[in-house]
Amino acid sequence: MKNIITKTLTSIALLLSTLIVGCGPSKPTLNVYTWSDYIDDTLIAEFEKTYNCNVIVDTFDSNEAMYSKLKAGATGYDIIIPTSYMAKLMFEQNMIEKLDLSKIPNSKFIDKRYLTNLAFDKTMQYSIPYMLGYTCIAYNKQKLGTLDNSWNVFAREDLKGRMTLLDDMRETIGVGLFYTGSKINNTDDKALEKAKNQIIAWKKNLAKFDNEVYKIGITSGEFLVVQGYSGDLLQVVSEAKHLDIMIPREGVSISCDDMVIPTTAPNKDLAYKFINFFMEPKNAAKNMAFTCFFAPIPEAKSLAKDIDLDRIFPDVLYTTGQLIMDMGKDNKKFQNIWDEIKMTK
């Protein structure tokens, strides 16, 4: 009887040991909050394999929506990829970490020209540049032929219901400011009034303001002219030969989205590894090919295959493009005007 009990206990012990080894410690999870279609999935898989972790990507469709969600108490994100003006605001409000660049050795590859001429965070105190882009227009060249290179295409009544502008307060009011002869960060009341009236005049020709389906709509032919982000539009133009893009002569906004680490991040060490991984030139080059946005990493240019870098980010934009800035208390002016635009029939 004693031998039977001993054998039984031994069997149970072996079973428990197997179960414990089989379960093992759970993999760490890195939670990333970013724009849609903005990271090459194969690079995510490579990062997961390299660091034995899981990566979960959640998406937002505007900086303001992301900011509002975090302000409402959302936590658990390890990496966020906001536009530079929003990253600056978040740092000023103690929402994101001051970075330890010794943990991001690949930050040495960031283009000094970008940091000097365009960056808000010139010393990478709280943010690492991820991708540069600009807003422009995509149009159906098969049906419309050659267009006048102007934002005033939205005045065309013959295209009523077949055009979209971005559902983005700063971008779309910015178009109105550009077209009426101002700069994108102008807060003068008269200038903003002119911009508002211009957008309202164009609104009657729009199908809608849209951030979500303009890529599908312009590809399918539902829309003939759309304002959008360069990377999104270059993706669809590369696959749809009946489409083309133009950069309106009155001016365009440029933007850089930055990788930041929230102060509430549960996996900060892994977040640093993630940033460093995507700053590796070969990874940045591959990510550019996927997103059609421009990584400000000179060493990545020579590694980027089959990419038209002059379209992804023309050099002229370094000196002629305008960055959207956080306007502090004057942000309310833009919000009030946007509310009026949206409510006007």
Side-chain angles (χ1 to χ4, degrees):
M1 185 70 175
K2 182 178 178 181
N3 287 338
I4 293 174
I5 293 172
T6 300
K7 287 181 180 180
T8 301
L9 291 174
T10 301
S11 298
I12 292 172
L14 287 170
L15 177 62
L16 289 173
S17 176
T18 301
L19 288 172
I20 290 170
V21 171
C23 291
S26 60
K27 292 182 179 180
T29 297
L30 186 83
N31 287 283
V32 180
Y33 197 23
T34 184
W35 308 85
S36 62
D37 301 322
Y38 209 28
I39 306 177
D40 187 329
D41 289 340
T42 64
L43 287 172
I44 291 286
E46 185 179 337
F47 179 82
E48 289 178 321
K49 182 178 179 181
T50 301
Y51 292 101
N52 191 32
C53 66
N54 295 313
V55 175
I56 296 175
V57 178
D58 190 11
T59 62
F60 53 84
D61 63 7
S62 75
N63 285 289
E64 286 70 27
M66 174 274 297
Y67 175 80
S68 296
K69 181 176 178 178
L70 297 178
K71 278 295 189 182
T75 58
Y77 296 116
D78 301 292
I79 293 284
I80 303 177
I81 308 182
T83 306
S84 292
Y85 78 91
M86 185 58 72
K88 181 175 182 289
L89 177 65
M90 293 167 72
F91 182 66
E92 290 169 350
Q93 297 185 359
N94 299 314
M95 297 171 68
I96 57 178
E97 290 278 297
K98 184 175 180 179
L99 296 176
D100 179 354
L101 293 182
S102 70
K103 296 181 178 180
I104 315 172
N106 287 337
S107 61
K108 67 185 179 185
F109 292 118
I110 299 297
D111 191 346
K112 302 302 185 292
R113 181 172 55 157
Y114 167 73
L115 293 173
T116 300
N117 294 334
L118 293 176
F120 290 172
D121 184 13
K122 297 184 183 303
T123 60
M124 295 183 285
Q125 182 181 17
Y126 56 83
S127 62
I128 299 294
Y130 176 65
M131 290 286 174
L132 280 162
Y134 55 97
T135 53
C136 57
I137 289 172
Y139 65 98
N140 190 317
K141 65 181 180 181
Q142 188 176 64
K143 293 188 176 181
L144 301 180
T146 302
L147 295 183
D148 181 32
N149 187 31
S150 171
W151 288 113
N152 201 39
V153 65
F154 293 102
R156 287 186 55 169
E157 295 182 2
D158 60 315
L159 302 181
K160 186 173 183 176
R162 307 292 297 279
M163 302 188 289
T164 68
L165 282 167
L166 285 169
D167 190 6
D168 185 294
M169 174 178 75
R170 294 299 305 277
E171 292 284 6
T172 299
I173 295 173
V175 169
L177 286 166
F178 280 134
Y179 185 71
T180 55
S182 293
K183 295 185 181 297
I184 200 166
N185 297 304
N186 195 337
T187 58
D188 175 75
D189 290 337
K190 290 183 179 179
L192 287 172
E193 185 70 13
K194 286 173 67 177
K196 179 193 75 174
N197 291 336
Q198 186 61 65
I199 299 300
I200 288 173
W202 288 336
K203 182 182 177 182
K204 67 179 184 296
N205 298 326
L206 301 180
K208 57 181 173 177
F209 296 107
D210 172 68
N211 286 354
E212 294 292 322
V213 299
Y214 66 82
K215 291 190 293 183
I216 297 171
I218 191 70
T219 304
S220 69
E222 177 186 1
F223 306 138
L224 299 178
V225 179
V226 298
Q227 177 200 15
Y229 302 109
S230 58
D232 291 344
L233 297 181
L234 287 168
Q235 285 175 35
V236 299
V237 167
S238 69
E239 298 170 1
K241 302 307 179 185
H242 63 291
L243 304 178
D244 204 352
I245 67 166
M246 67 178 183
I247 302 174
R249 60 178 175 269
E250 296 91 359
V252 296
S253 70
I254 60 174
S255 62
C256 184
D257 293 321
D258 301 325
M259 291 190 284
V260 302
I261 301 175
T263 54
T264 56
N267 285 302
K268 291 178 182 176
D269 285 342
L270 193 57
Y272 275 108
K273 290 180 173 65
F274 185 88
I275 294 174
N276 197 59
F277 179 86
F278 279 89
M279 292 301 97
E280 179 70 34
K282 66 180 179 62
N283 294 336
K286 188 174 182 180
N287 214 20
M288 278 197 288
F290 174 80
T291 64
C292 289
F293 286 98
F294 182 72
I297 296 176
E299 286 79 359
K301 286 185 178 182
S302 61
L303 301 173
K305 306 299 182 184
D306 302 319
I307 302 175
D308 187 348
L309 294 174
D310 287 335
R311 288 199 107 186
I312 287 180
F313 198 79
D315 268 354
V316 68
L317 294 180
Y318 274 105
T319 54
T320 63
Q322 295 181 25
L323 282 164
I324 293 175
M325 299 176 65
D326 174 61
M327 304 312 295
K329 60 182 178 59
D330 283 332
N331 285 334
K332 189 173 182 181
K333 290 185 178 182
F334 288 94
Q335 186 62 61
N336 290 340
I337 284 174
W338 188 236
D339 290 342
E340 288 185 55
I341 290 170
K342 297 294 282 289
M343 289 188 297
T344 301
K345 300 295 185 182

